[in-house]
Amino acid sequence: MKLLLTNIKELLQIRDSNILKVSGADMAHLPALKNAWLLMEDAIISDFGPMDSVPTITDATTIDCTGKMVLPTWCDSHTHLVYAGNREQEFVDRIKGLTYQEIAEKGGGILNSAKKLQETSEEDLYAQSAKRLEEVMALGTGAIEIKSGYGLTTEAELKMLRVAKQLAENYPVAIKTTFLGAHAVPSAYKNDKDAYLDLVCEEMIPKVAEEGLAEYVDIFCEEGYFSVADTDRVLTAGTKYGLIPKIHVNQFQAIGGVAEGVKHQALSVDHLEVITEADIEALTGSETMPVALPSCSYFLGIPYTPGREILNAGLPLALATDYNPGSTPSGNMNFVVATACIKMKLTPEEAINAATMNGAYAMGLSHSHGSITRGKSASVIITKEIPSYGYLPYAFGSNLIDSVIINGTYL
Ligand code: NIG
Ligand code: FE
């Protein structure tokens, strides 16, 4: 199956195969080719170039992209897309004045979602999650990470991960799975967090690893959830079973979790709405990707990750949705890119680099996703006719996607 895109107004994010992430000042540059063609064969990008060298390929399906931009599909490295039901009532409670933390203290929040998920059958959970996945694919997401963490029992955590694995089998989108058993202390262990951590480390992690259900291990390192010492314990146990750390950290308080993540060679440290000098220092020189989740800040009305400071320190930055029922009921990466520009003051070039190349890195996929590179997955967004790529975040409320091709499948 050959797919030839011609007369592309601008082909964005062209990279050599040895570029796996973009950092600091380099993020201001988005390599592009004007008036271009792109050839995809058997789900792989095989070649591209300027229109004056367009090849004649008789057995290819040709798509004329006059006036349209083509870019790699979004790489959403942080989601909780497999969940049951919704938390609309808590949304209304917050409008009326309760904070996210106050709702959690009343037994709402993550525990509310866990209760719903435990009562939902695997089939129903799959059906609800597949609908969300189809929606985000149509919005241009071609690679996505999905976490557990709304099960909080061995059985329910495994159920979540099996659903995510089943999605990976049935859809062309690349899916990476993360075990987040330490997302909150379940009610049954309310007064004995350590006993719950015993369960996470001694039963859940070995089972997840044995059944090959996740590649990553995560923990919510935060005041009122899990401490830095708990983080050390869970990441050590995960690593022992071959799971690579990726953590939730610095959402509300900076308690030293960033340095702990770096110490454990975390692939990414996510949230970072609050960040200290010491956190920046810990990240400097490491291979850990800082990940910002601006839709979460938008929805909860909390500070935005200081992306500018992170880039000024020469560090890379990735952007992801955090799609989940409590803090971010949206998996729209277009909104994330726009919000990063509008609220975090990233330029369109920086935001697009963060949402493609660096997002791919943050889920261990930058060898195959995140850029227009010969040999990478044929996963691209074709925009509607737009004046420039800066128009994507500028016209933040419009759907500017004409079509999406994911791993060679034209949606
Ligand atoms: O990444 N912060 C921790 N976990 C999720 C939200 C959990 C929830 O409220 O359901 C997050 O924002
Ligand atoms: Fe999250």
Side-chain angles (χ1 to χ4, degrees):
M1 167 71 175
K2 293 181 189 167
L3 215 49
L4 179 65
L5 310 189
T6 59
N7 299 310
I8 300 166
K9 181 166 174 167
E10 213 167 340
L11 181 61
L12 306 175
Q13 189 63 304
I14 300 168
R15 298 278 179 183
D16 286 337
S17 56
N18 58 347
I19 306 278
L20 297 179
K21 65 173 186 237
V22 199
S23 305
D26 291 343
M27 287 187 69
H29 181 54
L30 185 67
L33 185 63
K34 289 195 169 135
N35 196 22
W37 57 272
L38 173 69
L39 179 65
M40 295 173 277
E41 286 180 78
D42 301 326
I44 295 291
I45 293 173
S46 56
D47 210 356
F48 56 87
M51 273 312 283
D52 56 14
S53 72
V54 66
T56 311
I57 301 168
T58 46
D59 58 341
T61 303
T62 301
I63 302 171
D64 179 17
C65 296
T66 301
K68 301 169 179 178
M69 307 273 168
V70 172
L71 65 155
T73 46
W74 304 126
C75 295
D76 188 355
S77 68
H78 181 139
T79 86
H80 310 246
L81 174 139
V82 172
Y83 62 81
N86 65 68
R87 304 228 298 269
E88 240 184 278
Q89 185 51 49
E90 294 180 10
F91 169 58
V92 176
D93 290 344
R94 277 197 302 106
I95 292 170
K96 291 184 177 163
L98 285 185
T99 66
Y100 179 77
Q101 289 97 323
E102 283 164 349
I103 290 167
E105 279 155 21
K106 285 200 323 171
I110 295 167
L111 298 188
N112 180 356
S113 288
K115 186 165 180 289
K116 287 194 172 87
L117 190 134
Q118 288 164 9
E119 291 162 357
T120 303
S121 71
E122 192 160 329
E123 294 67 37
D124 188 8
L125 188 60
Y126 178 87
Q128 293 185 37
S129 308
K131 214 165 148 190
R132 287 180 206 117
L133 186 64
E134 286 172 17
E135 185 192 355
V136 302
M137 285 165 62
L139 289 167
T141 296
I144 195 165
E145 181 257 18
I146 302 176
K147 299 176 196 297
S148 69
Y150 288 124
L152 309 183
T153 64
T154 304
E155 190 197 322
E157 285 292 307
L158 297 181
K159 176 168 74 178
M160 288 185 79
L161 291 170
R162 279 196 304 268
V163 165
K165 283 284 179 193
Q166 210 187 329
L167 292 170
E169 271 173 31
N170 296 345
Y171 288 91
V173 61
I175 296 182
K176 290 284 191 166
T177 51
T178 300
F179 169 66
L180 175 60
H183 196 192
V185 179
S187 325
Y189 291 85
K190 199 164 71 192
N191 300 315
D192 199 354
K193 185 179 68 174
D194 286 340
Y196 181 60
L197 287 174
D198 290 345
L199 183 73
V200 166
C201 296
E202 287 157 27
E203 184 175 295
M204 294 187 190
I205 288 177
K207 281 216 167 120
V208 165
E210 191 185 304
E211 295 182 28
L213 287 172
E215 200 168 321
Y216 302 110
V217 60
D218 198 341
I219 179 164
F220 188 15
C221 178
E222 184 64 55
E223 211 77 75
Y225 291 83
F226 295 99
S227 68
V228 172
D230 299 336
T231 302
D232 187 26
R233 180 172 178 202
V234 170
L235 300 188
T236 301
T239 306
K240 190 174 135 208
Y241 282 90
L243 305 179
I244 297 164
K246 270 172 75 67
I247 62 173
H248 281 72
V249 71
N250 287 40
Q251 182 175 5
F252 302 107
Q253 313 278 345
I255 59 171
V258 172
E260 194 60 34
V262 171
K263 184 185 105 188
H264 283 274
Q265 296 175 301
L267 182 58
S268 71
V269 286
D270 304 29
H271 271 288
L272 310 176
E273 286 86 342
V274 182
I275 196 158
T276 65
E277 273 297 311
D279 296 327
I280 300 260
E281 257 170 49
L283 286 164
T284 303
S286 77
E287 294 300 316
T288 300
M289 177 66 69
V291 180
L293 310 166
S295 312
C296 173
S297 299
Y298 176 84
F299 190 71
L300 293 186
I302 61 174
Y304 287 85
T305 302
R308 192 75 282 136
E309 255 175 67
I310 292 173
L311 297 194
N312 288 350
L315 296 171
L317 181 72
L319 289 167
T321 62
D322 198 16
Y323 197 0
N324 75 74
S327 71
T328 323
S330 162
N332 187 346
M333 280 295 284
N334 305 282
F335 180 77
V336 165
V337 169
T339 307
C341 293
I342 298 162
K343 295 292 188 182
M344 294 167 58
K345 307 289 179 213
L346 298 196
T347 63
E349 291 81 3
E350 289 167 338
I352 293 172
N353 275 318
T356 55
M357 202 67 232
N358 287 354
Y361 179 92
M363 52 182 153
L365 281 175
S366 52
H367 59 282
S368 60
H369 289 76
S371 64
I372 303 295
T373 302
R374 291 174 188 88
K376 279 197 178 182
S377 166
S379 296
V380 301
I381 294 171
I382 304 174
T383 71
K384 291 181 181 158
E385 292 188 25
I386 51 173
S388 68
Y389 59 77
Y391 200 79
L392 293 172
Y394 163 77
F396 70 94
S398 303
N399 183 352
L400 297 170
I401 294 180
D402 171 304
S403 39
V404 183
I405 296 166
I406 299 182
N407 211 29
T409 303
Y410 190 93
L411 300 190

PDB file of all heavy atoms in Angstrom, residues 78 80 87 100 110 150 183 220 248 251 271 296 322 324 326-327, ligand 1:
ATOM      1  N   HIS A  78       1.181  11.051  28.330  1.00  0.00           N
ATOM      2  CA  HIS A  78       0.639  10.927  29.702  1.00  0.00           C
ATOM      3  C   HIS A  78      -0.883  10.967  29.647  1.00  0.00           C
ATOM      4  O   HIS A  78      -1.479  12.030  29.458  1.00  0.00           O
ATOM      5  CB  HIS A  78       1.180  12.088  30.555  1.00  0.00           C
ATOM      6  CG  HIS A  78       0.738  12.074  31.991  1.00  0.00           C
ATOM      7  ND1 HIS A  78       1.588  12.382  33.039  1.00  0.00           N
ATOM      8  CD2 HIS A  78      -0.459  11.797  32.571  1.00  0.00           C
ATOM      9  CE1 HIS A  78       0.936  12.307  34.184  1.00  0.00           C
ATOM     10  NE2 HIS A  78      -0.329  11.954  33.929  1.00  0.00           N
ATOM     11  N   HIS A  80      -4.681   8.819  31.279  1.00  0.00           N
ATOM     12  CA  HIS A  80      -5.357   7.810  32.092  1.00  0.00           C
ATOM     13  C   HIS A  80      -6.644   7.484  31.321  1.00  0.00           C
ATOM     14  O   HIS A  80      -7.732   7.547  31.871  1.00  0.00           O
ATOM     15  CB  HIS A  80      -5.711   8.356  33.472  1.00  0.00           C
ATOM     16  CG  HIS A  80      -4.587   9.025  34.212  1.00  0.00           C
ATOM     17  ND1 HIS A  80      -4.059   8.505  35.373  1.00  0.00           N
ATOM     18  CD2 HIS A  80      -3.897  10.180  33.994  1.00  0.00           C
ATOM     19  CE1 HIS A  80      -3.099   9.331  35.826  1.00  0.00           C
ATOM     20  NE2 HIS A  80      -2.987  10.339  35.012  1.00  0.00           N
ATOM     21  N   ARG A  87     -16.682  12.309  36.389  1.00  0.00           N
ATOM     22  CA  ARG A  87     -16.743  12.969  37.702  1.00  0.00           C
ATOM     23  C   ARG A  87     -17.353  14.373  37.544  1.00  0.00           C
ATOM     24  O   ARG A  87     -16.867  15.346  38.111  1.00  0.00           O
ATOM     25  CB  ARG A  87     -15.342  13.015  38.341  1.00  0.00           C
ATOM     26  CG  ARG A  87     -14.694  11.627  38.472  1.00  0.00           C
ATOM     27  CD  ARG A  87     -14.120  11.347  39.829  1.00  0.00           C
ATOM     28  NE  ARG A  87     -13.070  12.242  40.206  1.00  0.00           N
ATOM     29  CZ  ARG A  87     -11.766  12.045  39.979  1.00  0.00           C
ATOM     30  NH1 ARG A  87     -11.366  10.933  39.382  1.00  0.00           N
ATOM     31  NH2 ARG A  87     -10.877  12.935  40.372  1.00  0.00           N
ATOM     32  N   TYR A 100      -9.811  20.830  44.584  1.00  0.00           N
ATOM     33  CA  TYR A 100      -9.529  19.449  44.159  1.00  0.00           C
ATOM     34  C   TYR A 100      -9.120  18.613  45.382  1.00  0.00           C
ATOM     35  O   TYR A 100      -9.586  17.495  45.574  1.00  0.00           O
ATOM     36  CB  TYR A 100      -8.407  19.499  43.121  1.00  0.00           C
ATOM     37  CG  TYR A 100      -7.950  18.173  42.576  1.00  0.00           C
ATOM     38  CD1 TYR A 100      -8.697  17.489  41.624  1.00  0.00           C
ATOM     39  CD2 TYR A 100      -6.750  17.596  42.997  1.00  0.00           C
ATOM     40  CE1 TYR A 100      -8.256  16.278  41.105  1.00  0.00           C
ATOM     41  CE2 TYR A 100      -6.302  16.387  42.494  1.00  0.00           C
ATOM     42  CZ  TYR A 100      -7.068  15.736  41.543  1.00  0.00           C
ATOM     43  OH  TYR A 100      -6.630  14.533  41.040  1.00  0.00           O
ATOM     44  N   ILE A 110      -9.747  10.375  43.113  1.00  0.00           N
ATOM     45  CA  ILE A 110      -9.255   9.111  42.559  1.00  0.00           C
ATOM     46  C   ILE A 110     -10.053   7.931  43.135  1.00  0.00           C
ATOM     47  O   ILE A 110     -10.389   6.984  42.422  1.00  0.00           O
ATOM     48  CB  ILE A 110      -7.744   8.975  42.837  1.00  0.00           C
ATOM     49  CG1 ILE A 110      -6.977  10.085  42.080  1.00  0.00           C
ATOM     50  CG2 ILE A 110      -7.222   7.601  42.434  1.00  0.00           C
ATOM     51  CD1 ILE A 110      -5.519  10.261  42.507  1.00  0.00           C
ATOM     52  N   TYR A 150      -6.677   3.483  38.549  1.00  0.00           N
ATOM     53  CA  TYR A 150      -8.043   3.660  39.038  1.00  0.00           C
ATOM     54  C   TYR A 150      -8.623   2.315  39.465  1.00  0.00           C
ATOM     55  O   TYR A 150      -9.830   2.170  39.585  1.00  0.00           O
ATOM     56  CB  TYR A 150      -8.938   4.295  37.966  1.00  0.00           C
ATOM     57  CG  TYR A 150      -8.644   5.755  37.707  1.00  0.00           C
ATOM     58  CD1 TYR A 150      -8.344   6.197  36.428  1.00  0.00           C
ATOM     59  CD2 TYR A 150      -8.658   6.681  38.747  1.00  0.00           C
ATOM     60  CE1 TYR A 150      -8.075   7.536  36.187  1.00  0.00           C
ATOM     61  CE2 TYR A 150      -8.385   8.011  38.507  1.00  0.00           C
ATOM     62  CZ  TYR A 150      -8.089   8.436  37.233  1.00  0.00           C
ATOM     63  OH  TYR A 150      -7.819   9.760  37.001  1.00  0.00           O
ATOM     64  N   HIS A 183      -1.356   5.286  43.054  1.00  0.00           N
ATOM     65  CA  HIS A 183      -1.998   6.537  42.598  1.00  0.00           C
ATOM     66  C   HIS A 183      -2.681   7.213  43.790  1.00  0.00           C
ATOM     67  O   HIS A 183      -2.707   8.435  43.892  1.00  0.00           O
ATOM     68  CB  HIS A 183      -3.024   6.188  41.501  1.00  0.00           C
ATOM     69  CG  HIS A 183      -3.485   7.354  40.688  1.00  0.00           C
ATOM     70  ND1 HIS A 183      -4.564   7.272  39.841  1.00  0.00           N
ATOM     71  CD2 HIS A 183      -3.022   8.614  40.578  1.00  0.00           C
ATOM     72  CE1 HIS A 183      -4.744   8.440  39.256  1.00  0.00           C
ATOM     73  NE2 HIS A 183      -3.827   9.276  39.677  1.00  0.00           N
ATOM     74  N   PHE A 220       2.171   8.651  42.332  1.00  0.00           N
ATOM     75  CA  PHE A 220       1.764  10.042  42.559  1.00  0.00           C
ATOM     76  C   PHE A 220       2.528  10.527  43.791  1.00  0.00           C
ATOM     77  O   PHE A 220       2.117  10.277  44.922  1.00  0.00           O
ATOM     78  CB  PHE A 220       0.245  10.091  42.755  1.00  0.00           C
ATOM     79  CG  PHE A 220      -0.339  11.483  42.812  1.00  0.00           C
ATOM     80  CD1 PHE A 220       0.368  12.607  42.403  1.00  0.00           C
ATOM     81  CD2 PHE A 220      -1.649  11.662  43.265  1.00  0.00           C
ATOM     82  CE1 PHE A 220      -0.193  13.876  42.447  1.00  0.00           C
ATOM     83  CE2 PHE A 220      -2.219  12.926  43.314  1.00  0.00           C
ATOM     84  CZ  PHE A 220      -1.487  14.045  42.913  1.00  0.00           C
ATOM     85  N   HIS A 248       4.429  11.069  38.557  1.00  0.00           N
ATOM     86  CA  HIS A 248       3.604  12.257  38.791  1.00  0.00           C
ATOM     87  C   HIS A 248       4.271  13.017  39.932  1.00  0.00           C
ATOM     88  O   HIS A 248       4.391  12.475  41.043  1.00  0.00           O
ATOM     89  CB  HIS A 248       2.212  11.861  39.279  1.00  0.00           C
ATOM     90  CG  HIS A 248       1.271  11.410  38.229  1.00  0.00           C
ATOM     91  ND1 HIS A 248       1.382  10.210  37.595  1.00  0.00           N
ATOM     92  CD2 HIS A 248       0.172  12.023  37.708  1.00  0.00           C
ATOM     93  CE1 HIS A 248       0.380  10.094  36.733  1.00  0.00           C
ATOM     94  NE2 HIS A 248      -0.368  11.180  36.777  1.00  0.00           N
ATOM     95  N   GLN A 251       2.838  18.488  41.427  1.00  0.00           N
ATOM     96  CA  GLN A 251       1.575  19.061  40.945  1.00  0.00           C
ATOM     97  C   GLN A 251       1.141  20.205  41.869  1.00  0.00           C
ATOM     98  O   GLN A 251       0.725  21.256  41.403  1.00  0.00           O
ATOM     99  CB  GLN A 251       0.487  17.986  40.867  1.00  0.00           C
ATOM    100  CG  GLN A 251      -0.843  18.535  40.321  1.00  0.00           C
ATOM    101  CD  GLN A 251      -1.910  17.476  40.122  1.00  0.00           C
ATOM    102  OE1 GLN A 251      -1.726  16.303  40.480  1.00  0.00           O
ATOM    103  NE2 GLN A 251      -3.028  17.865  39.554  1.00  0.00           N
ATOM    104  N   HIS A 271       3.903  16.768  35.328  1.00  0.00           N
ATOM    105  CA  HIS A 271       3.115  17.804  36.025  1.00  0.00           C
ATOM    106  C   HIS A 271       3.984  19.048  36.204  1.00  0.00           C
ATOM    107  O   HIS A 271       3.871  19.989  35.437  1.00  0.00           O
ATOM    108  CB  HIS A 271       2.541  17.357  37.387  1.00  0.00           C
ATOM    109  CG  HIS A 271       1.188  16.721  37.266  1.00  0.00           C
ATOM    110  ND1 HIS A 271       0.058  17.429  36.974  1.00  0.00           N
ATOM    111  CD2 HIS A 271       0.789  15.439  37.384  1.00  0.00           C
ATOM    112  CE1 HIS A 271      -0.988  16.606  36.924  1.00  0.00           C
ATOM    113  NE2 HIS A 271      -0.562  15.388  37.159  1.00  0.00           N
ATOM    114  N   CYS A 296      -4.584  20.279  32.369  1.00  0.00           N
ATOM    115  CA  CYS A 296      -4.868  20.001  33.774  1.00  0.00           C
ATOM    116  C   CYS A 296      -4.869  21.324  34.541  1.00  0.00           C
ATOM    117  O   CYS A 296      -5.770  21.587  35.350  1.00  0.00           O
ATOM    118  CB  CYS A 296      -3.831  19.023  34.312  1.00  0.00           C
ATOM    119  SG  CYS A 296      -3.945  18.741  36.077  1.00  0.00           S
ATOM    120  N   ASP A 322      -2.805  14.374  29.898  1.00  0.00           N
ATOM    121  CA  ASP A 322      -3.232  13.895  31.226  1.00  0.00           C
ATOM    122  C   ASP A 322      -4.695  13.442  31.201  1.00  0.00           C
ATOM    123  O   ASP A 322      -5.336  13.388  32.259  1.00  0.00           O
ATOM    124  CB  ASP A 322      -3.028  14.978  32.306  1.00  0.00           C
ATOM    125  CG  ASP A 322      -3.024  14.406  33.723  1.00  0.00           C
ATOM    126  OD1 ASP A 322      -2.872  13.185  33.861  1.00  0.00           O
ATOM    127  OD2 ASP A 322      -3.182  15.181  34.678  1.00  0.00           O
ATOM    128  N   ASN A 324      -8.002  12.294  31.879  1.00  0.00           N
ATOM    129  CA  ASN A 324      -8.524  11.507  33.011  1.00  0.00           C
ATOM    130  C   ASN A 324      -9.827  12.140  33.484  1.00  0.00           C
ATOM    131  O   ASN A 324     -10.111  13.292  33.155  1.00  0.00           O
ATOM    132  CB  ASN A 324      -7.474  11.452  34.143  1.00  0.00           C
ATOM    133  CG  ASN A 324      -7.372  12.755  34.918  1.00  0.00           C
ATOM    134  OD1 ASN A 324      -8.242  13.086  35.713  1.00  0.00           O
ATOM    135  ND2 ASN A 324      -6.327  13.528  34.674  1.00  0.00           N
ATOM    136  N   GLY A 326     -10.830  13.209  36.430  1.00  0.00           N
ATOM    137  CA  GLY A 326     -10.837  14.150  37.542  1.00  0.00           C
ATOM    138  C   GLY A 326     -10.221  15.497  37.236  1.00  0.00           C
ATOM    139  O   GLY A 326     -10.848  16.535  37.419  1.00  0.00           O
ATOM    140  N   SER A 327      -8.978  15.476  36.741  1.00  0.00           N
ATOM    141  CA  SER A 327      -8.274  16.752  36.581  1.00  0.00           C
ATOM    142  C   SER A 327      -8.210  17.220  35.131  1.00  0.00           C
ATOM    143  O   SER A 327      -7.861  18.374  34.884  1.00  0.00           O
ATOM    144  CB  SER A 327      -6.858  16.655  37.160  1.00  0.00           C
ATOM    145  OG  SER A 327      -6.040  15.849  36.348  1.00  0.00           O
TER     146      SER A 327
HETATM  147  O1  NIG B   1      -2.462  13.307  36.706  1.00  0.00           O
HETATM  148  N1  NIG B   1      -2.517  13.828  39.874  1.00  0.00           N
HETATM  149  C1  NIG B   1      -2.786  12.652  39.900  1.00  0.00           C
HETATM  150  N2  NIG B   1      -3.485  11.938  39.030  1.00  0.00           N
HETATM  151  C2  NIG B   1      -4.244  12.462  37.928  1.00  0.00           C
HETATM  152  C3  NIG B   1      -5.626  12.881  38.287  1.00  0.00           C
HETATM  153  C4  NIG B   1      -6.327  11.934  39.113  1.00  0.00           C
HETATM  154  C5  NIG B   1      -7.786  12.183  39.302  1.00  0.00           C
HETATM  155  O2  NIG B   1      -8.197  13.238  39.811  1.00  0.00           O
HETATM  156  O3  NIG B   1      -8.542  11.297  38.935  1.00  0.00           O
HETATM  157  C6  NIG B   1      -3.498  13.599  37.280  1.00  0.00           C
HETATM  158  O4  NIG B   1      -3.895  14.768  37.325  1.00  0.00           O
END
